[in-house]
Coordinates of all heavy atoms in Angstrom, one line a residue:
M492 N -91.4 -28.3 50.0 CA -91.7 -29.6 50.6 C -93.2 -30.0 50.2 O -93.4 -31.1 49.8 CB -91.5 -29.6 52.1 CG -91.7 -30.9 52.7 SD -90.6 -32.2 52.1 CE -90.7 -33.4 53.3
R493 N -94.1 -29.0 50.4 CA -95.5 -29.3 50.1 C -95.6 -29.7 48.6 O -96.4 -30.6 48.3 CB -96.4 -28.1 50.4 CG -97.8 -28.4 50.4 CD -98.7 -27.4 51.0 NE -100.1 -27.7 50.9 CZ -100.8 -28.5 51.8 NH1 -100.2 -28.9 52.8 NH2 -102.0 -28.8 51.6
A494 N -94.9 -28.9 47.7 CA -95.0 -29.2 46.3 C -94.5 -30.7 46.0 O -95.1 -31.4 45.3 CB -94.1 -28.2 45.5
M495 N -93.5 -31.1 46.7 CA -92.9 -32.5 46.6 C -94.0 -33.5 47.0 O -94.2 -34.5 46.3 CB -91.7 -32.7 47.5 CG -90.5 -31.9 47.0 SD -89.6 -32.9 45.9 CE -87.9 -32.3 46.2
I496 N -94.6 -33.3 48.2 CA -95.6 -34.2 48.7 C -96.8 -34.2 47.8 O -97.4 -35.3 47.5 CB -95.9 -33.8 50.2 CG1 -94.7 -34.0 51.1 CG2 -97.1 -34.7 50.7 CD1 -94.9 -33.6 52.5
K497 N -97.1 -33.1 47.3 CA -98.3 -33.0 46.4 C -98.1 -33.8 45.1 O -99.0 -34.5 44.7 CB -98.5 -31.5 46.0 CG -100.0 -31.1 45.9 CD -100.1 -29.6 45.8 CE -101.5 -29.3 45.3 NZ -101.6 -27.8 45.2
V498 N -96.9 -33.7 44.5 CA -96.6 -34.5 43.3 C -96.6 -36.0 43.6 O -97.2 -36.8 42.9 CB -95.1 -34.1 42.8 CG1 -94.6 -35.1 41.8 CG2 -95.1 -32.7 42.2
Y499 N -96.1 -36.4 44.8 CA -96.2 -37.8 45.2 C -97.6 -38.2 45.4 O -98.0 -39.3 44.9 CB -95.4 -37.9 46.5 CG -95.4 -39.3 47.1 CD1 -94.6 -40.3 46.6 CD2 -96.4 -39.7 48.0 CE1 -94.6 -41.6 47.1 CE2 -96.5 -40.9 48.6 CZ -95.6 -41.9 48.1 OH -95.6 -43.2 48.6
C500 N -98.4 -37.4 46.1 CA -99.8 -37.8 46.4 C -100.6 -38.0 45.1 O -101.3 -39.0 44.9 CB -100.4 -36.7 47.3 SG -102.0 -37.1 47.9
R501 N -100.5 -37.0 44.2 CA -101.2 -37.1 43.0 C -100.7 -38.2 42.1 O -101.5 -38.9 41.5 CB -101.1 -35.8 42.2 CG -102.0 -34.7 42.7 CD -102.5 -33.9 41.6 NE -102.8 -32.6 42.1 CZ -102.7 -31.5 41.4 NH1 -102.3 -31.5 40.1 NH2 -103.0 -30.3 41.9
G502 N -99.4 -38.4 42.1 CA -98.8 -39.5 41.3 C -99.3 -40.9 41.7 O -99.3 -41.8 41.0
H503 N -99.6 -41.0 43.0 CA -100.1 -42.3 43.5 C -101.6 -42.3 43.6 O -102.2 -43.2 44.3 CB -99.4 -42.5 44.9 CG -98.0 -42.8 44.7 ND1 -97.0 -41.9 44.5 CD2 -97.3 -44.0 44.7 CE1 -95.8 -42.5 44.4 NE2 -96.0 -43.8 44.5
Q504 N -102.3 -41.4 42.9 CA -103.7 -41.3 42.9 C -104.4 -41.4 44.3 O -105.4 -42.0 44.4 CB -104.3 -42.5 42.0 CG -104.2 -42.2 40.5 CD -102.9 -42.8 39.9 OE1 -102.5 -43.9 40.3 NE2 -102.2 -42.1 39.1
H505 N -103.8 -40.7 45.2 CA -104.5 -40.6 46.5 C -105.7 -39.8 46.4 O -106.7 -40.0 47.1 CB -103.5 -40.1 47.6 CG -102.3 -40.9 47.9 ND1 -101.3 -40.6 48.7 CD2 -102.0 -42.2 47.4 CE1 -100.4 -41.5 48.8 NE2 -100.8 -42.5 48.0
V506 N -105.6 -38.7 45.7 CA -106.7 -37.8 45.4 C -106.6 -37.2 44.0 O -105.5 -37.2 43.4 CB -106.8 -36.6 46.4 CG1 -107.3 -36.9 47.8 CG2 -105.4 -35.9 46.5
A507 N -107.7 -36.7 43.5 CA -107.7 -36.2 42.1 C -107.1 -34.8 42.1 O -106.4 -34.4 41.2 CB -109.1 -36.1 41.6
D508 N -107.3 -34.1 43.2 CA -106.7 -32.7 43.3 C -106.3 -32.5 44.8 O -106.9 -33.0 45.7 CB -107.8 -31.7 42.9 CG -107.2 -30.4 42.6 OD1 -106.0 -30.3 42.3 OD2 -108.0 -29.4 42.6
G509 N -105.4 -31.6 44.9 CA -104.9 -31.2 46.3 C -104.1 -32.3 46.9 O -103.2 -32.8 46.2
I510 N -104.3 -32.6 48.1 CA -103.5 -33.5 48.9 C -104.3 -34.3 49.8 O -105.3 -33.8 50.4 CB -102.4 -32.6 49.6 CG1 -101.2 -33.5 50.1 CG2 -102.9 -31.8 50.7 CD1 -100.0 -32.6 50.5
C511 N -104.0 -35.6 50.0 CA -104.9 -36.4 50.8 C -104.5 -36.2 52.3 O -103.4 -35.7 52.6 CB -104.7 -37.9 50.5 SG -103.2 -38.6 51.1
P512 N -105.4 -36.6 53.3 CA -105.1 -36.4 54.7 C -103.8 -37.0 55.2 O -103.1 -36.4 56.0 CB -106.3 -37.0 55.4 CG -107.4 -37.1 54.3 CD -106.7 -37.2 53.0
E513 N -103.4 -38.1 54.7 CA -102.2 -38.8 55.1 C -101.0 -38.0 54.7 O -100.0 -37.8 55.5 CB -102.1 -40.2 54.6 CG -101.3 -41.1 55.4 CD -101.3 -42.6 54.9 OE1 -102.4 -43.1 54.7 OE2 -100.2 -43.1 54.6
C514 N -101.0 -37.6 53.4 CA -99.8 -36.8 52.9 C -99.8 -35.4 53.6 O -98.7 -34.9 53.8 CB -99.9 -36.7 51.4 SG -99.5 -38.2 50.6
D515 N -101.0 -34.9 53.9 CA -101.1 -33.6 54.5 C -100.4 -33.7 55.9 O -99.8 -32.8 56.4 CB -102.5 -33.2 54.6 CG -102.6 -31.7 54.9 OD1 -101.7 -31.0 54.4 OD2 -103.6 -31.2 55.5
Q516 N -100.6 -34.9 56.6 CA -100.1 -35.1 57.9 C -98.5 -35.1 57.8 O -97.8 -34.6 58.7 CB -100.6 -36.4 58.5 CG -101.8 -36.2 59.3 CD -102.3 -37.5 59.9 OE1 -101.5 -38.5 60.0 NE2 -103.5 -37.6 60.3
L517 N -98.0 -35.8 56.8 CA -96.6 -35.8 56.6 C -96.0 -34.4 56.4 O -95.0 -34.0 57.0 CB -96.2 -36.7 55.4 CG -94.7 -36.8 55.1 CD1 -94.0 -37.5 56.2 CD2 -94.5 -37.6 53.8
F518 N -96.8 -33.6 55.6 CA -96.3 -32.2 55.4 C -96.4 -31.5 56.7 O -95.4 -30.7 57.1 CB -97.2 -31.5 54.4 CG -96.9 -30.0 54.3 CD1 -95.7 -29.6 53.8 CD2 -97.7 -29.1 54.8 CE1 -95.3 -28.3 53.7 CE2 -97.4 -27.8 54.8 CZ -96.2 -27.3 54.2
A519 N -97.4 -31.6 57.5 CA -97.6 -30.9 58.8 C -96.4 -31.3 59.7 O -95.8 -30.5 60.4 CB -98.9 -31.3 59.5
Y520 N -96.0 -32.6 59.7 CA -94.9 -33.1 60.5 C -93.6 -32.4 60.1 O -92.8 -31.9 60.9 CB -94.8 -34.6 60.4 CG -93.6 -35.1 61.2 CD1 -93.8 -35.3 62.6 CD2 -92.4 -35.4 60.6 CE1 -92.7 -35.8 63.3 CE2 -91.3 -35.9 61.3 CZ -91.5 -36.1 62.7 OH -90.4 -36.6 63.4
A521 N -93.4 -32.3 58.8 CA -92.1 -31.7 58.2 C -92.1 -30.2 58.6 O -91.1 -29.7 58.9 CB -92.0 -31.9 56.7
A522 N -93.3 -29.6 58.4 CA -93.3 -28.1 58.7 C -93.1 -27.9 60.2 O -92.4 -26.9 60.6 CB -94.7 -27.6 58.3
Q523 N -93.5 -28.8 61.1 CA -93.3 -28.6 62.5 C -91.8 -28.8 62.8 O -91.3 -28.1 63.6 CB -94.2 -29.6 63.2 CG -94.1 -29.5 64.7 CD -94.4 -30.8 65.4 OE1 -93.6 -31.8 65.2 NE2 -95.4 -30.9 66.2
R524 N -91.2 -29.8 62.2 CA -89.8 -30.0 62.4 C -89.0 -28.8 62.0 O -88.1 -28.3 62.7 CB -89.3 -31.2 61.6 CG -89.8 -32.5 62.0 CD -89.2 -33.0 63.3 NE -90.0 -32.6 64.4 CZ -89.5 -32.4 65.7 NH1 -88.3 -32.7 65.9 NH2 -90.3 -32.0 66.6
L525 N -89.4 -28.2 60.9 CA -88.7 -27.0 60.3 C -88.8 -25.9 61.3 O -87.9 -25.1 61.5 CB -89.4 -26.7 59.0 CG -88.6 -25.8 58.0 CD1 -87.4 -26.4 57.5 CD2 -89.6 -25.4 56.9
E526 N -90.0 -25.7 61.8 CA -90.3 -24.6 62.7 C -89.4 -24.7 64.0 O -89.0 -23.7 64.5 CB -91.8 -24.7 63.1 CG -92.4 -23.4 63.5 CD -93.8 -23.6 63.8 OE1 -94.6 -23.8 62.9 OE2 -94.2 -23.6 65.0
R527 N -89.2 -26.0 64.4 CA -88.5 -26.2 65.6 C -87.0 -26.5 65.4 O -86.3 -27.0 66.3 CB -89.1 -27.3 66.4 CG -90.5 -27.0 66.8 CD -91.1 -28.2 67.6 NE -92.5 -27.9 67.9 CZ -93.3 -28.8 68.5 NH1 -92.9 -30.0 68.8 NH2 -94.6 -28.4 68.7
C528 N -86.5 -26.3 64.2 CA -85.2 -26.7 63.8 C -84.2 -26.0 64.7 O -84.2 -24.8 64.9 CB -84.9 -26.3 62.4 SG -83.2 -26.7 61.9
R529 N -83.3 -26.8 65.3 CA -82.3 -26.3 66.3 C -81.2 -25.4 65.6 O -80.5 -24.6 66.3 CB -81.6 -27.4 66.9 CG -80.6 -28.2 66.0 CD -80.1 -29.5 66.6 NE -81.2 -30.4 66.7 CZ -81.1 -31.6 67.4 NH1 -80.0 -31.9 68.0 NH2 -82.1 -32.4 67.4
F530 N -81.2 -25.4 64.3 CA -80.2 -24.6 63.6 C -80.7 -23.2 63.2 O -79.9 -22.3 62.8 CB -79.6 -25.3 62.3 CG -78.9 -26.5 62.7 CD1 -79.5 -27.8 62.3 CD2 -77.7 -26.5 63.3 CE1 -78.8 -29.0 62.6 CE2 -77.0 -27.7 63.6 CZ -77.6 -28.9 63.3
G531 N -82.0 -23.0 63.3 CA -82.6 -21.7 63.0 C -82.2 -21.2 61.6 O -82.3 -22.0 60.7
A532 N -81.8 -19.9 61.5 CA -81.5 -19.4 60.2 C -80.3 -20.1 59.5 O -80.1 -20.0 58.3 CB -81.2 -17.9 60.3
R533 N -79.5 -20.7 60.3 CA -78.3 -21.4 59.8 C -78.6 -22.8 59.3 O -77.7 -23.6 59.1 CB -77.1 -21.4 60.8 CG -76.7 -20.0 61.1 CD -75.8 -19.9 62.4 NE -74.7 -20.8 62.4 CZ -74.5 -21.8 63.2 NH1 -75.4 -22.1 64.2 NH2 -73.4 -22.6 63.1
K534 N -79.8 -23.1 59.2 CA -80.3 -24.5 58.9 C -79.7 -25.0 57.6 O -79.8 -24.3 56.6 CB -81.8 -24.5 58.8 CG -82.4 -25.8 58.6 CD -83.9 -25.6 58.2 CE -84.5 -26.8 57.6 NZ -83.7 -27.2 56.4
P535 N -79.1 -26.2 57.6 CA -78.7 -26.8 56.4 C -79.9 -27.5 55.7 O -81.0 -27.4 56.3 CB -77.7 -27.9 56.8 CG -78.2 -28.3 58.2 CD -78.9 -27.1 58.8
T536 N -79.8 -28.0 54.5 CA -80.9 -28.8 54.0 C -81.1 -30.0 54.9 O -80.0 -30.5 55.4 CB -80.7 -29.3 52.6 OG1 -79.5 -30.0 52.5 CG2 -80.7 -28.1 51.6
C537 N -82.3 -30.5 55.1 CA -82.5 -31.6 56.0 C -81.7 -32.8 55.5 O -81.2 -33.6 56.4 CB -83.9 -32.0 56.1 SG -84.9 -30.6 57.0
A538 N -81.5 -33.0 54.2 CA -80.7 -34.1 53.7 C -79.3 -34.1 54.2 O -78.6 -35.1 54.3 CB -80.8 -34.1 52.2
N539 N -78.7 -32.9 54.4 CA -77.3 -32.7 54.9 C -77.2 -32.6 56.4 O -76.1 -32.3 56.9 CB -76.7 -31.5 54.2 CG -76.5 -31.6 52.7 OD1 -76.4 -32.8 52.3 ND2 -76.4 -30.5 52.0
C540 N -78.3 -32.7 57.1 CA -78.3 -32.4 58.5 C -77.4 -33.4 59.3 O -77.6 -34.7 59.1 CB -79.7 -32.4 59.0 SG -79.8 -32.0 60.8
P541 N -76.6 -32.9 60.2 CA -75.7 -33.9 61.0 C -76.5 -34.5 62.2 O -76.1 -35.5 62.7 CB -74.6 -32.9 61.5 CG -75.2 -31.6 61.5 CD -76.2 -31.5 60.4
T542 N -77.6 -33.8 62.5 CA -78.4 -34.3 63.7 C -79.8 -34.5 63.3 O -80.7 -33.7 63.8 CB -78.3 -33.4 64.9 OG1 -78.7 -32.1 64.5 CG2 -76.9 -33.2 65.4
H543 N -80.1 -35.3 62.4 CA -81.5 -35.4 61.9 C -82.5 -35.6 63.0 O -82.3 -36.4 63.9 CB -81.6 -36.6 60.9 CG -82.4 -36.3 59.7 ND1 -83.7 -36.1 59.7 CD2 -81.9 -36.0 58.5 CE1 -84.1 -35.7 58.5 NE2 -83.0 -35.7 57.7
C544 N -83.6 -34.8 62.9 CA -84.6 -34.8 64.0 C -85.9 -35.5 63.7 O -86.8 -35.6 64.5 CB -84.9 -33.3 64.4 SG -85.8 -32.4 63.1
Y545 N -86.0 -36.1 62.5 CA -87.2 -36.8 62.2 C -87.2 -38.2 62.8 O -86.2 -38.8 63.0 CB -87.2 -37.1 60.6 CG -87.6 -35.9 59.8 CD1 -87.0 -34.7 59.9 CD2 -88.6 -36.0 58.9 CE1 -87.3 -33.6 59.1 CE2 -89.0 -34.9 58.1 CZ -88.3 -33.7 58.2 OH -88.7 -32.7 57.4
K546 N -88.5 -38.6 63.2 CA -88.7 -40.0 63.6 C -88.3 -40.9 62.5 O -88.6 -40.5 61.3 CB -90.1 -40.2 64.0 CG -90.5 -39.7 65.4 CD -91.9 -40.1 65.6 CE -92.5 -39.4 66.8 NZ -94.0 -39.5 66.9
R547 N -87.9 -42.1 62.8 CA -87.4 -43.0 61.7 C -88.5 -43.3 60.7 O -88.2 -43.2 59.5 CB -87.0 -44.3 62.3 CG -86.4 -45.3 61.3 CD -85.7 -46.5 61.9 NE -84.5 -46.1 62.6 CZ -83.3 -45.9 62.0 NH1 -83.3 -46.0 60.7 NH2 -82.2 -45.5 62.6
D548 N -89.7 -43.5 61.1 CA -90.8 -43.8 60.1 C -91.1 -42.6 59.2 O -91.3 -42.8 58.0 CB -92.0 -44.4 60.8 CG -92.7 -43.4 61.7 OD1 -91.9 -42.6 62.3 OD2 -93.9 -43.5 61.9
R549 N -91.1 -41.4 59.8 CA -91.3 -40.2 59.0 C -90.2 -40.0 58.1 O -90.4 -39.6 56.9 CB -91.5 -39.0 60.0 CG -92.8 -39.0 60.7 CD -94.0 -38.9 59.8 NE -95.2 -38.6 60.4 CZ -96.4 -38.7 59.8 NH1 -96.5 -39.2 58.6 NH2 -97.5 -38.3 60.4
L550 N -88.9 -40.2 58.5 CA -87.8 -40.0 57.7 C -87.9 -41.0 56.4 O -87.6 -40.5 55.3 CB -86.5 -40.3 58.5 CG -85.2 -40.1 57.8 CD1 -85.0 -38.7 57.3 CD2 -84.0 -40.5 58.7
E551 N -88.3 -42.2 56.7 CA -88.4 -43.1 55.6 C -89.5 -42.7 54.6 O -89.3 -42.7 53.4 CB -88.8 -44.6 56.1 CG -87.6 -45.2 56.8 CD -86.3 -45.3 56.0 OE1 -86.3 -45.5 54.8 OE2 -85.3 -44.9 56.6
Q552 N -90.6 -42.1 55.1 CA -91.7 -41.6 54.3 C -91.2 -40.5 53.4 O -91.4 -40.4 52.2 CB -92.9 -41.2 55.1 CG -93.6 -42.3 55.7 CD -94.7 -41.8 56.7 OE1 -94.6 -40.7 57.2 NE2 -95.6 -42.7 57.0
V553 N -90.4 -39.6 54.0 CA -89.9 -38.4 53.3 C -88.9 -38.9 52.2 O -89.0 -38.3 51.1 CB -89.3 -37.4 54.3 CG1 -88.4 -36.4 53.5 CG2 -90.3 -36.7 55.1
K554 N -88.1 -39.8 52.5 CA -87.1 -40.3 51.5 C -87.9 -40.9 50.3 O -87.5 -40.7 49.2 CB -86.3 -41.4 52.1 CG -85.1 -40.9 53.0 CD -84.3 -42.1 53.4 CE -83.2 -41.7 54.4 NZ -82.5 -42.8 55.0
V555 N -89.0 -41.6 50.6 CA -89.7 -42.2 49.5 C -90.3 -41.1 48.6 O -90.3 -41.1 47.4 CB -90.9 -43.1 50.0 CG1 -91.8 -43.6 49.0 CG2 -90.2 -44.4 50.7
V556 N -90.9 -40.1 49.3 CA -91.5 -38.9 48.6 C -90.4 -38.2 47.7 O -90.6 -37.9 46.5 CB -92.1 -37.9 49.6 CG1 -92.5 -36.6 48.9 CG2 -93.4 -38.6 50.2
M557 N -89.2 -38.0 48.3 CA -88.2 -37.3 47.6 C -87.7 -38.1 46.4 O -87.5 -37.5 45.3 CB -86.9 -37.1 48.5 CG -87.2 -36.1 49.7 SD -87.6 -34.5 49.1 CE -88.1 -33.7 50.5
R558 N -87.5 -39.4 46.6 CA -87.1 -40.2 45.5 C -88.1 -40.2 44.3 O -87.7 -40.1 43.2 CB -86.9 -41.7 46.0 CG -85.5 -42.2 45.7 CD -85.4 -43.6 46.3 NE -85.0 -43.5 47.7 CZ -85.5 -44.3 48.7 NH1 -86.4 -45.2 48.4 NH2 -85.1 -44.2 49.9
Y559 N -89.3 -40.1 44.6 CA -90.4 -40.1 43.6 C -90.5 -38.7 43.0 O -90.5 -38.6 41.8 CB -91.7 -40.6 44.2 CG -92.8 -40.5 43.1 CD1 -93.1 -41.6 42.3 CD2 -93.6 -39.4 43.0 CE1 -94.0 -41.5 41.3 CE2 -94.6 -39.3 42.1 CZ -94.8 -40.4 41.2 OH -95.8 -40.4 40.3
S560 N -90.6 -37.7 43.8 CA -90.9 -36.4 43.4 C -89.7 -35.6 42.9 O -89.9 -34.7 42.0 CB -91.6 -35.6 44.5 OG -92.8 -36.2 44.9
G561 N -88.5 -35.9 43.4 CA -87.3 -35.1 43.0 C -87.2 -34.9 41.5 O -87.2 -33.8 41.0
P562 N -87.1 -36.0 40.7 CA -86.9 -35.8 39.2 C -88.2 -35.2 38.6 O -88.0 -34.5 37.6 CB -86.7 -37.3 38.7 CG -86.7 -38.2 39.9 CD -87.1 -37.4 41.1
R563 N -89.3 -35.5 39.1 CA -90.6 -35.0 38.5 C -90.7 -33.5 38.7 O -91.1 -32.7 37.8 CB -91.8 -35.7 39.1 CG -91.9 -37.1 38.5 CD -92.8 -38.0 39.3 NE -93.0 -39.3 38.7 CZ -92.2 -40.3 38.9 NH1 -91.2 -40.2 39.8 NH2 -92.3 -41.5 38.4
I564 N -90.3 -33.0 39.9 CA -90.5 -31.6 40.2 C -89.5 -30.8 39.5 O -89.7 -29.6 39.2 CB -90.4 -31.4 41.8 CG1 -91.3 -30.2 42.1 CG2 -89.0 -31.2 42.3 CD1 -92.0 -30.3 43.4
L565 N -88.4 -31.4 39.1 CA -87.4 -30.7 38.3 C -88.0 -30.2 37.0 O -87.7 -29.1 36.5 CB -86.2 -31.7 38.0 CG -85.0 -31.1 37.4 CD1 -84.2 -30.2 38.3 CD2 -84.1 -32.3 37.0
L566 N -88.8 -31.0 36.4 CA -89.5 -30.6 35.2 C -90.6 -29.6 35.4 O -90.8 -28.7 34.6 CB -90.0 -31.8 34.4 CG -89.0 -32.9 34.1 CD1 -89.7 -34.2 33.6 CD2 -88.0 -32.4 33.0
K567 N -91.3 -29.8 36.5 CA -92.5 -29.0 36.8 C -92.2 -27.6 37.4 O -92.8 -26.6 37.0 CB -93.4 -29.8 37.8 CG -94.8 -29.7 37.5 CD -95.6 -30.6 38.4 CE -97.1 -30.1 38.3 NZ -98.0 -30.6 39.2
H568 N -91.2 -27.6 38.3 CA -90.8 -26.3 39.0 C -89.3 -26.2 38.9 O -88.6 -26.3 39.9 CB -91.3 -26.3 40.4 CG -92.8 -26.5 40.6 ND1 -93.7 -25.5 40.4 CD2 -93.5 -27.6 41.0 CE1 -94.9 -26.0 40.7 NE2 -94.8 -27.2 41.1
P569 N -88.7 -25.9 37.7 CA -87.3 -25.8 37.6 C -86.6 -24.8 38.6 O -85.6 -25.1 39.1 CB -87.0 -25.5 36.2 CG -88.3 -25.2 35.6 CD -89.4 -25.7 36.5
L570 N -87.3 -23.7 38.8 CA -86.7 -22.6 39.6 C -86.7 -23.1 41.1 O -85.7 -22.9 41.8 CB -87.6 -21.3 39.5 CG -86.8 -20.0 39.7 CD1 -85.7 -19.9 38.7 CD2 -87.7 -18.9 39.6
L571 N -87.7 -23.7 41.5 CA -87.8 -24.2 42.9 C -86.7 -25.3 43.1 O -86.1 -25.3 44.1 CB -89.2 -24.9 43.1 CG -89.8 -25.0 44.4 CD1 -90.1 -23.6 44.9 CD2 -91.1 -25.8 44.4
S572 N -86.5 -26.1 42.1 CA -85.5 -27.2 42.2 C -84.1 -26.5 42.3 O -83.3 -27.0 43.0 CB -85.6 -28.1 41.0 OG -86.9 -28.6 40.8
L573 N -83.9 -25.5 41.5 CA -82.6 -24.8 41.5 C -82.3 -24.3 42.9 O -81.2 -24.4 43.4 CB -82.6 -23.7 40.4 CG -81.3 -22.9 40.3 CD1 -80.1 -23.7 39.9 CD2 -81.5 -21.7 39.4
H574 N -83.3 -23.6 43.5 CA -83.1 -23.0 44.8 C -82.7 -24.1 45.8 O -81.9 -24.0 46.6 CB -84.3 -22.3 45.3 CG -84.5 -21.0 44.6 ND1 -85.7 -20.3 44.5 CD2 -83.6 -20.2 43.9 CE1 -85.5 -19.1 43.9 NE2 -84.3 -19.1 43.5
H575 N -83.5 -25.2 45.7 CA -83.2 -26.3 46.6 C -81.8 -26.9 46.4 O -81.1 -27.2 47.4 CB -84.3 -27.4 46.4 CG -84.3 -28.4 47.5 ND1 -84.6 -28.2 48.8 CD2 -83.9 -29.7 47.4 CE1 -84.5 -29.3 49.5 NE2 -84.0 -30.2 48.7
W576 N -81.5 -27.0 45.2 CA -80.1 -27.6 44.9 C -79.0 -26.7 45.4 O -78.1 -27.1 46.0 CB -80.0 -27.7 43.3 CG -78.8 -28.3 42.9 CD1 -78.4 -29.6 43.0 CD2 -77.7 -27.6 42.2 NE1 -77.1 -29.8 42.4 CE2 -76.7 -28.6 41.9 CE3 -77.5 -26.3 41.8 CZ2 -75.5 -28.3 41.3 CZ3 -76.3 -26.0 41.1 CH2 -75.4 -27.0 40.9
L577 N -79.2 -25.3 45.2 CA -78.2 -24.4 45.7 C -78.2 -24.4 47.3 O -77.1 -24.3 47.8 CB -78.6 -23.0 45.3 CG -78.3 -22.7 43.8 CD1 -78.9 -21.3 43.4 CD2 -76.9 -22.8 43.4
D578 N -79.3 -24.6 47.9 CA -79.4 -24.7 49.4 C -78.5 -25.8 49.9 O -77.9 -25.8 51.0 CB -80.8 -25.0 49.8 CG -81.6 -23.7 50.0 OD1 -81.0 -22.7 49.9 OD2 -82.8 -23.9 50.3
G579 N -78.4 -26.8 49.1 CA -77.6 -28.0 49.4 C -76.1 -27.7 49.6 O -75.4 -28.4 50.2
F580 N -75.7 -26.6 49.1 CA -74.3 -26.2 49.2 C -74.0 -25.3 50.4 O -72.8 -25.0 50.7 CB -73.8 -25.4 47.9 CG -73.7 -26.3 46.7 CD1 -74.7 -26.3 45.8 CD2 -72.6 -27.1 46.5 CE1 -74.6 -27.2 44.7 CE2 -72.5 -27.9 45.4 CZ -73.5 -28.0 44.5
R581 N -75.1 -24.9 51.1 CA -74.9 -24.2 52.3 C -74.1 -25.0 53.3 O -74.4 -26.2 53.5 CB -76.2 -23.8 52.9 CG -76.2 -22.4 53.6 CD -77.5 -22.1 54.2 NE -78.6 -22.1 53.3 CZ -79.9 -22.5 53.7 NH1 -80.1 -22.8 54.9 NH2 -80.9 -22.5 52.8
P582 N -73.1 -24.4 54.0 CA -72.2 -25.2 54.9 C -73.1 -25.7 56.1 O -74.0 -25.0 56.6 CB -71.2 -24.2 55.4 CG -71.6 -22.8 55.0 CD -72.6 -23.0 53.9
V583 N -72.7 -26.9 56.5 CA -73.5 -27.5 57.6 C -72.9 -26.9 58.9 O -71.7 -27.0 59.2 CB -73.2 -29.0 57.6 CG1 -73.9 -29.7 58.8 CG2 -73.8 -29.6 56.3
P584 N -73.8 -26.3 59.8 CA -73.3 -25.7 61.0 C -72.7 -26.8 62.0 O -73.2 -27.9 61.9 CB -74.5 -25.0 61.6 CG -75.6 -25.4 60.8 CD -75.2 -26.2 59.6
A585 N -71.8 -26.3 62.8 CA -71.2 -27.2 63.8 C -72.3 -27.6 64.8 O -73.2 -26.8 65.1 CB -70.1 -26.5 64.5
R586 N -72.2 -28.8 65.3 CA -73.1 -29.4 66.3 C -73.0 -28.6 67.6 O -71.9 -28.3 68.0 CB -72.8 -30.8 66.5 CG -73.8 -31.6 67.1 CD -73.3 -33.1 67.1 NE -74.4 -33.9 67.7 CZ -74.5 -35.2 67.4 NH1 -73.7 -35.8 66.6 NH2 -75.4 -35.9 68.0
K587 N -74.2 -28.3 68.1 CA -74.2 -27.6 69.4 C -73.8 -28.6 70.5 O -74.1 -29.7 70.5 CB -75.6 -27.1 69.7 CG -75.9 -25.7 69.1 CD -77.2 -25.2 69.5 CE -77.6 -23.9 68.8 NZ -78.9 -23.5 69.1
P588 N -73.0 -28.0 71.5 CA -72.6 -28.9 72.6 C -73.8 -29.5 73.4 O -74.8 -28.9 73.5 CB -71.7 -28.1 73.5 CG -71.9 -26.6 73.1 CD -72.6 -26.6 71.7
Ligands
SF4_2040 S1 -83.5 -32.6 60.1 FE1 -81.9 -31.2 60.8 S2 -82.0 -29.4 59.5 FE2 -83.9 -30.6 59.2 S3 -85.4 -29.7 60.6 FE3 -84.4 -31.4 61.7 S4 -82.7 -30.5 62.8 FE4 -83.3 -29.0 61.3
ZN2041 ZN1 -101.5 -38.6 49.5

């Protein structure tokens, strides 16, 4: 996720190197969601999640980042992209009552 946000941040000239504070905040938010994910080790990819836990504005921001960085990261980090793609086939766990 950080790699995706970094590609987006640099691509939009927010900073010359590293990651800008705003993009860093988005990453911190995503990392916190991941840490508190209700599915634990059975976590699906967030894109396949049946009970998305992101706030609407954050979700929109992540979608924009994914749309921009997805194709770019495929060329930059092919192995990382492959793992992420394979993760997408993990079955979605049943919703907790
Ligand atoms: S969106 Fe779904 S899979 Fe992703 S962290 Fe939130 S609850 Fe977990
Ligand atoms: Zn940025």
Side-chain angles (χ1 to χ4, degrees):
M492 183 62 164
R493 193 169 176 87
M495 290 272 210
I496 295 177
K497 216 168 164 180
V498 166
Y499 175 84
C500 189
R501 281 216 209 151
H503 289 77
Q504 282 94 41
H505 295 176
V506 282
D508 196 21
I510 194 163
C511 79
E513 205 176 306
C514 289
D515 200 32
Q516 271 182 17
L517 180 61
F518 173 70
Y520 179 80
Q523 186 206 59
R524 294 287 89 203
L525 196 66
E526 204 180 289
R527 297 181 185 174
C528 179
R529 70 189 72 188
F530 296 111
R533 295 165 56 240
K534 182 190 162 308
T536 54
C537 293
N539 289 337
C540 183
T542 58
H543 224 287
C544 67
Y545 282 53
K546 279 186 193 166
R547 184 168 291 280
D548 60 334
R549 287 301 195 191
L550 183 59
E551 289 309 315
Q552 288 171 342
V553 165
K554 278 184 187 170
V555 170
V556 168
M557 293 296 170
R558 235 175 275 137
Y559 178 85
S560 301
R563 288 166 176 86
I564 211 146
L565 186 68
L566 301 170
K567 220 174 165 189
H568 301 285
L570 209 59
L571 205 69
S572 305
L573 177 67
H574 285 162
H575 189 70
W576 183 71
L577 289 172
D578 272 354
F580 288 98
R581 215 182 305 147
V583 176
R586 198 176 181 153
K587 278 187 184 172

